[in-house]
Amino acid sequence: MTIAGPNSGTRPDDARRHNRTALLRRLHVDGPCTRATLASELGLNRSTIKAVVDGLAEAGVVTEAVPAQRSGAGRPSLLVLPEASAAVVLAVDVRVDQVSMAMVGIGGQILGRHSWNLHRTTRLPGEVITHVAESAQLLRDELGVREQSVGVSVPGVVRRADGLVFEAPNLGWREVGLGTRLEAVLGSPTAVGNDGDLGALAEHLRGAAREVADLLYLSADVGVGGGVIVGGVPFRGSTGYLGEIGHMIVKPGGRACFCGEQGCWETEVGEPALCRALGLPEDTPRGVLVAELRGLTRVDLLDEVRDWLVTGLVTAVNLLAPEMVVLGDLFAALPAALVERVREEVHVRSLVSRAGGGTRIEVSPLGRDGKLVGAAELAFEPVLGTV
Amino acid sequence: MTIAGPNSGTRPDDARRHNRTALLRRLHVDGPCTRATLASELGLNRSTIKAVVDGLAEAGVVTEAVPAQRSGAGRPSLLVLPEASAAVVLAVDVRVDQVSMAMVGIGGQILGRHSWNLHRTTRLPGEVITHVAESAQLLRDELGVREQSVGVSVPGVVRRADGLVFEAPNLGWREVGLGTRLEAVLGSPTAVGNDGDLGALAEHLRGAAREVADLLYLSADVGVGGGVIVGGVPFRGSTGYLGEIGHMIVKPGGRACFCGEQGCWETEVGEPALCRALGLPEDTPRGVLVAELRGLTRVDLLDEVRDWLVTGLVTAVNLLAPEMVVLGDLFAALPAALVERVREEVHVRSLVSRAGGGTRIEVSPLGRDGKLVGAAELAFEPVLGTV
């Protein structure tokens, strides 16, 4: 993070705004901390910190408290706490089988949430948009808040500039102007992101990869999505479209994929593949599948899925050389013994993992909320500078 | 490129040095141009340009000339030309079958070159290092120049920080301290890079992708290497190791690869695969293979290679979403009709290419020199700021 110093040539107002945003972002991402910690982390002197914190406290964005545990002899440094309701965003996670929504306050606190299941008929874009608008109004009324901005996660190829969903094969959507249409009905600025990309963002800011700059996030829902962060910055392809890791071809001539190809990674390791491996119908409810996975004693039933998971990971690790791979969503329900074997096999089979001393493979701690958390962070991006 | 402006708060010396480096880099990469063009491109006024150019001319780094063709009525703006011999680097391209070396001057001019073939016995690291040192001395004596810095391209997994070659399977090298050892025998600072990465750099600076910020470079030698540039910046994996695109697994259970895996991309589309497809022995001399490829009338012999090439490209494009793919080295010898089919098939089969309106696929114009050019640019990186 760059802090405007005295010699940077920016005007004093810019510097003050910059410091305020940096401090707020620190509190938002890492939680409450003392004035002294803020000063040392942001490289600002105590009087600057005091001025910024006083300003934020006056605006009701932070509160201060005396820490319960004192360290050292002197006067304790005051603890600065973000005031969750001072800036609220609406996060929307559109999945193939469910939409989840949450009002999220500064610091990432979920103030209230709402979700409903999707079926063939309720999955149409118009139906989803109408339902999101109604649910947003319910949440606003119930919580007595109004979102400043909206972030939406979608399992598809998304153009960031205007939130156009070019193709979301598992939803059956093509060229849906989701960002524009939601913005119109919600009346708040709306950003749309690919679910894998937002899952990666969530892991980087609030999950398994907080200290990791080079990260591959991989998750299974009906499809398989992923996101890449390089040097702490989300990796975006050209033309504003993101890459689609679920559509790496891992098994040429394999099972037909919605995208038109055969043997895409998601056809071999996604939710239906897991169901088939366990002898369950492909449309087994998510809760049942997760319970089956968690209680699984015959891990060998998943040998083939594991093999395709490893094959795809070897390819991805050899190509991207991440420091850590985070397994999210349905992959986070895989038996621990299986994950351990995936770890070992990827390390042995990947030239790049061997060279780099081992790519870490971790399970997401965010559970099913990963993409919702990512959508909230997407929405917070423009907000933190204006509070 | 950031230019130090009057309000940036840097000291005047820093600003002058910054402007000098920026101007020299412009001349180095894009060739001679007028003072007027330099002023407008770098956003500097004419008197600053004059001061910088005068300083460089005095140091013998540039010369000036009156352009032959005058535009407009006034006094013509003087043409500024880099003086190739004012800063010279040594570029070394270590391939599986050959080492190429060149002394390269500012502007990318090759002042002299030398190459020799490698065989099983001469491919040992010690042999290569000794031969490079001898050839460097021959080039220095012959040309009457001394390199300021050395850049080396190697087909393997390289740690940039110290030039350690962790593994170069096709050379049979493992954990070779190439950078340190070459620096000791040559007496010049030496940087080592992965050949695919340097090929990408060469295409971006002097090849097919000069105006392209998001680029995937792909080349076949004995193995298949590649490099990625994102937003104009080379993409590096974590821990200083680069990704290895040739070791994406495209055909699980396929042919055994030197890396220990089966069905890596390079086993299906590399030089031996091309030889097999044409009914030639796998150790056919490169010149013969290239001639066969260029004169090929039965393009259908390459149907299977084309199919694996497309399969790998669909995976890579779906994952990385580049604006352009550049085919280099041996791939540049593929029949034009085949390349055209690759173009069409990747576009039809890649979700991300369809979404982005089409990933451009171009053939490298740099021929077999691509990686040598990239090695020279790697060597120039630290030099341009100190001339």
Side-chain angles (χ1 to χ4, degrees):
Chain A
M1 202 169 280
T2 313
I3 306 301
N7 290 321
S8 71
T10 52
R11 287 170 302 133
D13 274 5
D14 287 350
R16 206 171 296 137
R17 178 173 296 281
H18 190 115
N19 292 337
R20 185 180 166 113
T21 304
L23 191 149
L24 203 52
R25 191 174 294 275
R26 164 64 180 75
L27 291 174
H28 171 66
V29 172
D30 296 322
C33 67
T34 62
R35 284 190 183 188
T37 305
L38 287 170
S40 87
E41 283 191 7
L42 302 180
L44 298 170
N45 63 37
R46 288 205 166 214
S47 65
T48 304
I49 291 288
K50 181 176 186 310
V52 174
V53 171
D54 285 352
L56 287 168
E58 207 166 294
V61 178
V62 302
T63 53
E64 294 192 274
V66 180
Q69 298 197 330
R70 293 179 52 165
S71 66
R75 204 152 51 108
S77 180
L78 284 172
L79 200 62
V80 185
L81 303 94
E83 193 58 59
S85 60
V88 174
V89 303
L90 176 64
V92 183
D93 177 19
V94 181
R95 312 170 78 100
V96 177
D97 62 339
Q98 194 181 54
V99 177
S100 296
M101 291 175 52
M103 287 287 186
V104 181
I106 287 189
Q109 195 186 322
I110 290 183
L111 306 174
R113 56 199 302 163
H114 187 66
S115 67
W116 65 96
N117 291 338
L118 292 184
H119 307 285
R120 195 180 299 271
T121 53
T122 57
R123 201 179 281 142
L124 298 172
E127 293 290 319
V128 170
I129 289 165
T130 304
H131 206 145
V132 166
E134 289 167 3
S135 300
Q137 195 52 51
L138 288 174
L139 281 169
R140 287 173 195 149
D141 293 346
E142 184 187 320
L143 300 168
V145 298
R146 166 88 206 189
E147 77 279 0
Q148 291 191 17
S149 134
V150 181
V152 186
S153 164
V154 175
V157 181
V158 174
R159 188 166 65 199
R160 272 292 175 93
D162 60 358
L164 174 80
V165 179
F166 176 79
E167 198 166 342
N170 290 309
L171 285 170
W173 292 8
R174 266 194 70 88
E175 306 210 23
V176 176
L178 187 65
T180 319
R181 289 169 68 178
L182 274 176
E183 192 160 306
V185 296
L186 292 169
S188 305
T190 301
V192 182
N194 167 276
D195 64 341
D197 187 43
L198 295 178
L201 184 67
E203 295 300 332
H204 184 55
L205 294 178
R206 304 191 181 278
R210 293 173 70 126
E211 309 294 324
V212 174
D214 296 290
L215 143 80
L216 166 63
Y217 169 77
L218 186 71
S219 80
D221 190 36
V222 174
V224 168
V228 177
I229 288 179
V230 180
V233 178
F235 175 82
R236 305 255 157 78
S238 62
T239 70
Y241 287 105
L242 284 164
E244 281 282 309
I245 200 168
H247 297 277
M248 298 197 318
I249 302 168
V250 296
K251 188 183 182 184
R255 199 168 270 265
C257 176
F258 287 116
C259 82
E261 267 306 304
Q262 290 178 281
C264 287
W265 203 9
E266 72 172 44
T267 65
E268 308 302 333
V269 301
E271 188 168 23
L274 287 165
C275 289
R276 290 193 304 270
L278 299 182
L280 300 169
E282 289 192 8
D283 59 352
T284 300
R286 170 63 73 101
V288 175
L289 175 59
V290 168
E292 289 279 339
L293 283 172
R294 292 204 193 281
L296 194 67
T297 47
R298 286 199 48 204
V299 178
D300 62 302
L301 290 176
L302 294 175
D303 278 356
E304 199 183 332
V305 169
R306 190 194 73 234
D307 205 42
W308 291 119
L309 183 57
V310 170
T311 299
L313 280 172
V314 169
T315 287
V317 166
N318 277 347
L319 182 50
L320 298 168
E323 185 183 342
M324 182 187 282
V325 175
V326 182
L327 299 175
D329 230 321
L330 201 45
F331 285 144
L334 291 173
L338 186 151
V339 173
E340 185 51 36
R341 280 201 58 181
V342 168
R343 246 180 222 122
E344 288 164 11
E345 290 179 10
V346 170
H347 184 58
V348 170
R349 292 178 54 185
S350 160
L351 177 65
V352 166
S353 176
R354 293 199 302 270
T359 303
R360 292 160 65 194
I361 299 184
E362 303 294 341
V363 169
S364 167
L366 298 175
R368 233 196 161 196
D369 275 350
K371 290 152 189 180
L372 193 66
V373 169
E377 295 306 323
L378 177 65
F380 268 117
E381 274 171 21
V383 168
L384 290 176
T386 59
V387 175
Chain B
M1 203 169 279
T2 314
I3 306 302
N7 290 322
S8 69
T10 52
R11 288 170 303 133
D13 275 5
D14 288 350
R16 207 171 296 138
R17 178 173 296 281
H18 189 115
N19 292 336
R20 186 181 165 114
T21 305
L23 189 150
L24 203 52
R25 192 174 294 276
R26 164 63 180 78
L27 291 174
H28 171 66
V29 173
D30 296 321
C33 68
T34 63
R35 285 187 180 189
T37 305
L38 288 170
S40 86
E41 284 191 7
L42 302 178
L44 298 170
N45 63 36
R46 289 208 163 208
S47 64
T48 304
I49 292 287
K50 181 176 187 309
V52 174
V53 171
D54 285 352
L56 287 169
E58 208 167 293
V61 178
V62 302
T63 52
E64 293 192 274
V66 181
Q69 297 199 332
R70 295 179 52 165
S71 67
R75 210 153 45 112
S77 181
L78 284 172
L79 200 62
V80 185
L81 303 95
E83 191 60 55
S85 60
V88 174
V89 303
L90 177 64
V92 183
D93 178 19
V94 181
R95 312 171 79 100
V96 177
D97 62 340
Q98 193 182 55
V99 178
S100 295
M101 292 174 52
M103 287 288 187
V104 181
I106 288 189
Q109 193 187 324
I110 291 184
L111 306 173
R113 58 199 300 165
H114 187 67
S115 68
W116 66 95
N117 291 338
L118 293 183
H119 308 286
R120 196 180 298 273
T121 53
T122 57
R123 202 179 280 141
L124 298 170
E127 294 288 319
V128 169
I129 289 165
T130 305
H131 205 144
V132 166
E134 290 167 1
S135 300
Q137 195 53 50
L138 286 175
L139 281 169
R140 288 173 192 148
D141 294 345
E142 185 188 317
L143 301 168
V145 297
R146 166 91 204 187
E147 77 278 1
Q148 291 192 17
S149 135
V150 181
V152 186
S153 163
V154 175
V157 181
V158 174
R159 187 166 66 200
R160 272 293 175 94
D162 60 358
L164 175 81
V165 179
F166 176 78
E167 198 166 344
N170 290 309
L171 285 170
W173 291 9
R174 265 194 72 88
E175 305 210 25
V176 176
L178 187 65
T180 319
R181 290 169 68 178
L182 274 177
E183 192 159 306
V185 295
L186 291 171
S188 306
T190 301
V192 183
N194 167 276
D195 64 339
D197 187 44
L198 295 178
L201 184 66
E203 295 302 331
H204 184 54
L205 294 178
R206 303 190 181 280
R210 294 174 69 127
E211 309 294 325
V212 174
D214 296 290
L215 142 80
L216 167 62
Y217 168 78
L218 186 72
S219 79
D221 189 35
V222 174
V224 168
V228 178
I229 287 179
V230 180
V233 179
F235 175 82
R236 305 255 156 76
S238 63
T239 71
Y241 288 104
L242 282 165
E244 281 280 312
I245 201 169
H247 298 277
M248 297 195 321
I249 301 169
V250 296
K251 188 184 183 183
R255 198 168 271 263
C257 178
F258 288 116
C259 82
E261 268 304 305
Q262 291 179 281
C264 287
W265 204 9
E266 72 172 43
T267 65
E268 308 302 335
V269 301
E271 187 169 23
L274 288 166
C275 288
R276 290 193 304 271
L278 299 182
L280 301 169
E282 288 192 6
D283 59 352
T284 300
R286 169 63 73 99
V288 175
L289 174 59
V290 168
E292 289 279 339
L293 284 171
R294 291 205 193 281
L296 194 68
T297 47
R298 286 199 47 203
V299 178
D300 63 301
L301 291 176
L302 294 176
D303 278 356
E304 199 183 334
V305 170
R306 191 194 72 233
D307 205 42
W308 292 119
L309 182 58
V310 170
T311 298
L313 281 173
V314 169
T315 287
V317 166
N318 277 347
L319 182 51
L320 299 168
E323 184 183 342
M324 182 188 282
V325 176
V326 181
L327 300 175
D329 230 321
L330 202 44
F331 285 144
L334 292 172
L338 186 152
V339 173
E340 185 50 37
R341 280 201 58 181
V342 168
R343 243 180 226 123
E344 287 163 13
E345 291 179 9
V346 170
H347 183 59
V348 170
R349 292 178 54 184
S350 160
L351 178 63
V352 167
S353 175
R354 292 198 301 269
T359 302
R360 292 161 64 194
I361 299 184
E362 302 295 339
V363 170
S364 165
L366 298 175
R368 233 193 160 195
D369 276 349
K371 290 152 188 180
L372 194 66
V373 168
E377 295 306 324
L378 176 65
F380 268 117
E381 275 172 19
V383 167
L384 290 176
T386 59
V387 174

